[in-house]
Amino acid sequence: MKRPGPLLTLLAGLVLGVFLLTLNAATGTRTASADQKNPPGATVSPAASAAPGASASPSSPDPSSPGSSPSAPSSSPSSSRAVRPAPDADYAGRTDDDSSAVAVSLRNGKAIAYFCDGHDKESWLKGDVGSDGAMKLTGRGGAELNGTLDDGRRIRGTVDLGGRRYGFTADRAVKPSGLYRATSTVRGAKIDGGWIVLPGGRQVGVVDRDGTPSKAPAIDPETGAVTIDGHRIVARPVTP
C-alpha cells in the first residue's frame, strides 16, 4: 500500500489550520459582545431586569409639598372681652338740670345711693352692681336709679322720683368728696341726715326730723361733725 504523498499531507494541514482560525475568531467576537453589554463591576438595576409592562410601586407623597399635609384648624381670637368687676369707690355729681345731687357708693358688687335737692326732696336707694357695671337700685315710694359704670371713672344714669326722671352724671370722688349720713335723737326728735360733698367742696344735704325734711347744715368734711338744733353729731361716710 502506498503512503499519502507530501502534497496531500500539506493540504490536510492547511485545511485544519483554516478551520481552527475561523473557530477562534467566532468565539472571540461573541465574548467581546457580551463584555460590552455587561462590563466588569457593573451593577444591573432591578428595574432593568423587570419584566416588560410591570409598573413600579407609587412613591409616598412628600410631606413638604403643598396640599400634602392636612390643613390645621383655623382659630380666630375671641371677640368677647373679659369684663372686670366694678371697683370699690365713691361717686358724686349733679343732675343734668342742676336741680339736685346724686352720690353712689360701691363695695363688693353692692351699691347704695342718695338723691337730694338740698331742700325737701331726698331718697336712699340700694341694690346690686352687675359684672358689666350696670345697676338698678330701688328706694321707698317706688324710687329707682338705673345707671352704668363707665370704666370706673363715672356713673351715668337716671333717677325716677316723685313722678319725675332726672338724668345725672356722677364722677369718681376723692375724699373728702362722697356720701355721708348721720342718725341721732335730738331733743326727742329722730334725726336722719344725708350729705353729698361734691368735687370742689360744695355740699348738698337734707335733714329729716321725725319725717319732716329740710335743708341740712354743712358738715366739717374732715371730721364729719355737724351741729343740729344745738346738738353736735357726727356724719360718717356711707358704704353698702
Side-chain angles (χ1 to χ4, degrees):
M1 185 174 182
K2 294 181 179 181
R3 293 182 179 179
L7 181 60
L8 290 176
T9 301
L10 180 61
L11 288 173
L14 289 174
V15 170
L16 180 60
V18 171
F19 174 77
L20 293 175
L21 183 61
T22 303
L23 180 61
N24 288 337
T27 303
T29 302
R30 287 197 298 270
T31 303
S33 176
D35 291 342
Q36 289 176 355
K37 291 182 179 179
N38 296 295
T43 302
V44 180
S45 170
S49 63
S55 59
S57 61
S59 60
S60 301
D62 183 2
S64 62
S65 62
S68 62
S69 60
S71 58
S74 59
S75 60
S76 58
S78 174
S79 59
S80 62
R81 184 177 62 180
V83 181
R84 294 176 298 178
D88 294 347
D90 300 317
Y91 300 83
R94 301 283 297 178
T95 57
D96 296 346
D97 62 5
D98 201 35
S99 67
S100 307
V102 178
V104 184
S105 178
L106 306 182
R107 297 292 187 279
N108 300 318
K110 302 290 185 180
I112 186 167
Y114 184 56
F115 170 97
C116 75
D117 64 356
H119 299 286
D120 56 7
K121 188 178 293 184
E122 66 171 354
S123 179
W124 291 94
L125 310 100
K126 62 182 180 179
D128 297 328
V129 183
S131 59
D132 58 354
M135 63 192 76
K136 182 177 182 179
L137 315 183
T138 57
R140 293 181 180 177
E144 187 174 294
L145 182 152
N146 289 278
T148 302
L149 182 61
D150 181 8
D151 288 337
R153 297 178 299 175
R154 62 181 59 88
I155 297 174
R156 301 182 189 275
T158 59
V159 173
D160 294 299
L161 179 65
R164 288 187 58 184
R165 172 167 291 182
Y166 303 83
F168 74 91
T169 300
D171 295 321
R172 189 163 183 166
V174 178
K175 296 297 182 185
S177 297
L179 177 59
Y180 297 82
R181 189 173 191 175
T183 57
S184 184
T185 300
V186 177
R187 296 180 181 179
K190 185 177 179 179
I191 302 295
D192 187 357
W195 290 263
I196 298 172
V197 179
L198 299 166
R202 182 181 177 185
Q203 298 184 23
V204 182
V206 170
V207 170
D208 185 293
R209 296 177 177 84
D210 284 338
T212 301
S214 62
K215 182 178 180 179
I219 63 172
D220 180 345
E222 297 299 330
T223 64
V226 58
T227 299
I228 297 177
D229 298 337
H231 186 77
R232 185 177 181 273
I233 61 177
V234 177
R236 303 187 184 281
V238 177
T239 58

